[in-house]
PDB file of all heavy atoms in Angstrom:
ATOM      1  N   LYS A   8     -51.760 -18.152 103.238  1.00 63.00           N
ATOM      2  CA  LYS A   8     -51.453 -19.394 103.951  1.00 63.00           C
ATOM      3  C   LYS A   8     -50.296 -20.147 103.310  1.00 63.00           C
ATOM      4  O   LYS A   8     -50.266 -21.386 103.311  1.00 63.00           O
ATOM      5  CB  LYS A   8     -52.694 -20.293 104.018  1.00 63.00           C
ATOM      6  CG  LYS A   8     -53.894 -19.627 104.685  1.00 63.00           C
ATOM      7  CD  LYS A   8     -55.083 -20.566 104.722  1.00 63.00           C
ATOM      8  CE  LYS A   8     -56.301 -19.885 105.344  1.00 63.00           C
ATOM      9  NZ  LYS A   8     -57.483 -20.770 105.374  1.00 63.00           N
ATOM     10  N   ILE A  27     -43.294 -28.550 115.701  1.00 90.00           N
ATOM     11  CA  ILE A  27     -43.380 -27.565 116.789  1.00 90.00           C
ATOM     12  C   ILE A  27     -44.018 -26.267 116.290  1.00 90.00           C
ATOM     13  O   ILE A  27     -43.794 -25.195 116.855  1.00 90.00           O
ATOM     14  CB  ILE A  27     -41.985 -27.282 117.394  1.00 90.00           C
ATOM     15  CG1 ILE A  27     -40.992 -26.875 116.295  1.00 90.00           C
ATOM     16  CG2 ILE A  27     -41.467 -28.491 118.157  1.00 90.00           C
ATOM     17  CD1 ILE A  27     -39.648 -26.425 116.829  1.00 90.00           C
ATOM     18  N   LEU A  45     -52.161  -8.417 111.854  1.00 82.00           N
ATOM     19  CA  LEU A  45     -52.428  -6.979 111.789  1.00 82.00           C
ATOM     20  C   LEU A  45     -51.293  -6.173 112.422  1.00 82.00           C
ATOM     21  O   LEU A  45     -50.919  -5.105 111.929  1.00 82.00           O
ATOM     22  CB  LEU A  45     -53.760  -6.665 112.475  1.00 82.00           C
ATOM     23  CG  LEU A  45     -55.013  -7.215 111.778  1.00 82.00           C
ATOM     24  CD1 LEU A  45     -56.249  -6.951 112.621  1.00 82.00           C
ATOM     25  CD2 LEU A  45     -55.164  -6.597 110.391  1.00 82.00           C
ATOM     26  N   SER A  57     -39.375   5.487 114.206  1.00 52.00           N
ATOM     27  CA  SER A  57     -40.545   6.212 113.719  1.00 52.00           C
ATOM     28  C   SER A  57     -41.720   6.001 114.659  1.00 52.00           C
ATOM     29  O   SER A  57     -41.812   5.004 115.369  1.00 52.00           O
ATOM     30  CB  SER A  57     -40.924   5.732 112.311  1.00 52.00           C
ATOM     31  OG  SER A  57     -39.844   5.932 111.421  1.00 52.00           O
ATOM     32  N   ARG A  69     -73.496  11.542 107.522  1.00 48.00           N
ATOM     33  CA  ARG A  69     -74.281  12.717 107.899  1.00 48.00           C
ATOM     34  C   ARG A  69     -75.595  12.308 108.526  1.00 48.00           C
ATOM     35  O   ARG A  69     -76.052  12.878 109.502  1.00 48.00           O
ATOM     36  CB  ARG A  69     -74.535  13.588 106.660  1.00 48.00           C
ATOM     37  CG  ARG A  69     -73.277  14.222 106.110  1.00 48.00           C
ATOM     38  CD  ARG A  69     -73.609  15.084 104.902  1.00 48.00           C
ATOM     39  NE  ARG A  69     -72.418  15.693 104.362  1.00 48.00           N
ATOM     40  CZ  ARG A  69     -72.394  16.478 103.285  1.00 48.00           C
ATOM     41  NH1 ARG A  69     -73.538  16.723 102.634  1.00 48.00           N
ATOM     42  NH2 ARG A  69     -71.263  16.998 102.866  1.00 48.00           N
ATOM     43  N   PRO A  83     -65.030  -9.724  91.367  1.00 49.00           N
ATOM     44  CA  PRO A  83     -65.996 -10.594  92.033  1.00 49.00           C
ATOM     45  C   PRO A  83     -65.854 -12.054  91.633  1.00 49.00           C
ATOM     46  O   PRO A  83     -66.207 -12.938  92.381  1.00 49.00           O
ATOM     47  CB  PRO A  83     -67.346 -10.031  91.579  1.00 49.00           C
ATOM     48  CG  PRO A  83     -67.054  -9.369  90.271  1.00 49.00           C
ATOM     49  CD  PRO A  83     -65.664  -8.821  90.395  1.00 49.00           C
ATOM     50  N   ILE A  91     -50.307 -26.819  91.415  1.00 91.00           N
ATOM     51  CA  ILE A  91     -49.006 -27.158  90.851  1.00 91.00           C
ATOM     52  C   ILE A  91     -48.653 -28.591  91.222  1.00 91.00           C
ATOM     53  O   ILE A  91     -48.739 -28.983  92.388  1.00 91.00           O
ATOM     54  CB  ILE A  91     -47.898 -26.210  91.352  1.00 91.00           C
ATOM     55  CG1 ILE A  91     -48.236 -24.756  91.043  1.00 91.00           C
ATOM     56  CG2 ILE A  91     -46.550 -26.576  90.728  1.00 91.00           C
ATOM     57  CD1 ILE A  91     -47.252 -23.759  91.615  1.00 91.00           C
ATOM     58  N   VAL A 119     -57.192 -17.650  80.357  1.00 94.00           N
ATOM     59  CA  VAL A 119     -56.193 -17.317  81.374  1.00 94.00           C
ATOM     60  C   VAL A 119     -54.860 -17.014  80.710  1.00 94.00           C
ATOM     61  O   VAL A 119     -54.375 -17.804  79.887  1.00 94.00           O
ATOM     62  CB  VAL A 119     -56.020 -18.468  82.386  1.00 94.00           C
ATOM     63  CG1 VAL A 119     -54.990 -18.094  83.448  1.00 94.00           C
ATOM     64  CG2 VAL A 119     -57.342 -18.834  83.027  1.00 94.00           C
ATOM     65  N   ARG A 135     -33.113 -16.513  94.091  1.00 89.00           N
ATOM     66  CA  ARG A 135     -32.272 -15.812  93.120  1.00 89.00           C
ATOM     67  C   ARG A 135     -33.158 -15.358  91.958  1.00 89.00           C
ATOM     68  O   ARG A 135     -34.373 -15.515  91.970  1.00 89.00           O
ATOM     69  CB  ARG A 135     -31.163 -16.728  92.619  1.00 89.00           C
ATOM     70  CG  ARG A 135     -30.252 -17.276  93.711  1.00 89.00           C
ATOM     71  CD  ARG A 135     -29.168 -18.144  93.130  1.00 89.00           C
ATOM     72  NE  ARG A 135     -28.239 -17.362  92.309  1.00 89.00           N
ATOM     73  CZ  ARG A 135     -27.305 -17.913  91.512  1.00 89.00           C
ATOM     74  NH1 ARG A 135     -27.208 -19.226  91.427  1.00 89.00           N
ATOM     75  NH2 ARG A 135     -26.490 -17.158  90.816  1.00 89.00           N
ATOM     76  N   ASN A 186     -61.047 -10.647  85.403  1.00 91.00           N
ATOM     77  CA  ASN A 186     -59.886  -9.987  86.017  1.00 91.00           C
ATOM     78  C   ASN A 186     -59.427 -10.678  87.301  1.00 91.00           C
ATOM     79  O   ASN A 186     -58.710 -10.089  88.114  1.00 91.00           O
ATOM     80  CB  ASN A 186     -60.163  -8.504  86.311  1.00 91.00           C
ATOM     81  CG  ASN A 186     -60.179  -7.659  85.060  1.00 91.00           C
ATOM     82  OD1 ASN A 186     -59.482  -7.973  84.086  1.00 91.00           O
ATOM     83  ND2 ASN A 186     -60.983  -6.611  85.055  1.00 91.00           N
ATOM     84  N   ILE A 204     -22.935 -46.765 103.323  1.00 92.00           N
ATOM     85  CA  ILE A 204     -21.928 -47.100 104.329  1.00 92.00           C
ATOM     86  C   ILE A 204     -22.167 -48.529 104.799  1.00 92.00           C
ATOM     87  O   ILE A 204     -23.269 -48.873 105.246  1.00 92.00           O
ATOM     88  CB  ILE A 204     -21.983 -46.134 105.532  1.00 92.00           C
ATOM     89  CG1 ILE A 204     -21.791 -44.689 105.068  1.00 92.00           C
ATOM     90  CG2 ILE A 204     -20.937 -46.510 106.571  1.00 92.00           C
ATOM     91  CD1 ILE A 204     -21.909 -43.675 106.186  1.00 92.00           C
ATOM     92  N   VAL A 206     -20.677 -51.365 107.433  1.00 89.00           N
ATOM     93  CA  VAL A 206     -19.803 -51.626 108.579  1.00 89.00           C
ATOM     94  C   VAL A 206     -19.728 -53.133 108.794  1.00 89.00           C
ATOM     95  O   VAL A 206     -20.764 -53.808 108.902  1.00 89.00           O
ATOM     96  CB  VAL A 206     -20.324 -50.932 109.854  1.00 89.00           C
ATOM     97  CG1 VAL A 206     -19.449 -51.290 111.059  1.00 89.00           C
ATOM     98  CG2 VAL A 206     -20.360 -49.424 109.655  1.00 89.00           C
ATOM     99  N   ILE A 217     -14.343 -52.261 110.522  1.00 90.00           N
ATOM    100  CA  ILE A 217     -14.083 -51.666 109.205  1.00 90.00           C
ATOM    101  C   ILE A 217     -15.376 -51.100 108.631  1.00 90.00           C
ATOM    102  O   ILE A 217     -16.439 -51.727 108.722  1.00 90.00           O
ATOM    103  CB  ILE A 217     -13.495 -52.714 108.235  1.00 90.00           C
ATOM    104  CG1 ILE A 217     -12.156 -53.240 108.764  1.00 90.00           C
ATOM    105  CG2 ILE A 217     -13.318 -52.121 106.837  1.00 90.00           C
ATOM    106  CD1 ILE A 217     -11.598 -54.383 107.941  1.00 90.00           C
ATOM    107  N   PHE A 235     -13.779 -37.348 100.629  1.00 94.00           N
ATOM    108  CA  PHE A 235     -14.683 -37.851 101.657  1.00 94.00           C
ATOM    109  C   PHE A 235     -14.324 -37.226 103.002  1.00 94.00           C
ATOM    110  O   PHE A 235     -13.145 -37.046 103.319  1.00 94.00           O
ATOM    111  CB  PHE A 235     -14.571 -39.374 101.784  1.00 94.00           C
ATOM    112  CG  PHE A 235     -15.190 -40.144 100.662  1.00 94.00           C
ATOM    113  CD1 PHE A 235     -14.425 -40.574  99.585  1.00 94.00           C
ATOM    114  CD2 PHE A 235     -16.539 -40.458 100.673  1.00 94.00           C
ATOM    115  CE1 PHE A 235     -14.983 -41.302  98.552  1.00 94.00           C
ATOM    116  CE2 PHE A 235     -17.109 -41.183  99.648  1.00 94.00           C
ATOM    117  CZ  PHE A 235     -16.338 -41.603  98.577  1.00 94.00           C
ATOM    118  N   VAL A 248     -10.406 -37.642 103.293  1.00 93.00           N
ATOM    119  CA  VAL A 248      -9.732 -38.553 102.366  1.00 93.00           C
ATOM    120  C   VAL A 248      -9.945 -38.039 100.948  1.00 93.00           C
ATOM    121  O   VAL A 248     -11.083 -37.986 100.462  1.00 93.00           O
ATOM    122  CB  VAL A 248     -10.281 -39.988 102.491  1.00 93.00           C
ATOM    123  CG1 VAL A 248      -9.553 -40.913 101.511  1.00 93.00           C
ATOM    124  CG2 VAL A 248     -10.140 -40.490 103.920  1.00 93.00           C
TER     125      VAL A 248
END
Side-chain angles (χ1 to χ4, degrees):
K8 303 180 182 179
I27 54 173
L45 293 175
S57 301
R69 293 181 180 178
I91 303 175
V119 181
R135 302 181 67 191
N186 287 330
I204 302 177
V206 176
I217 298 174
F235 287 95
V248 180

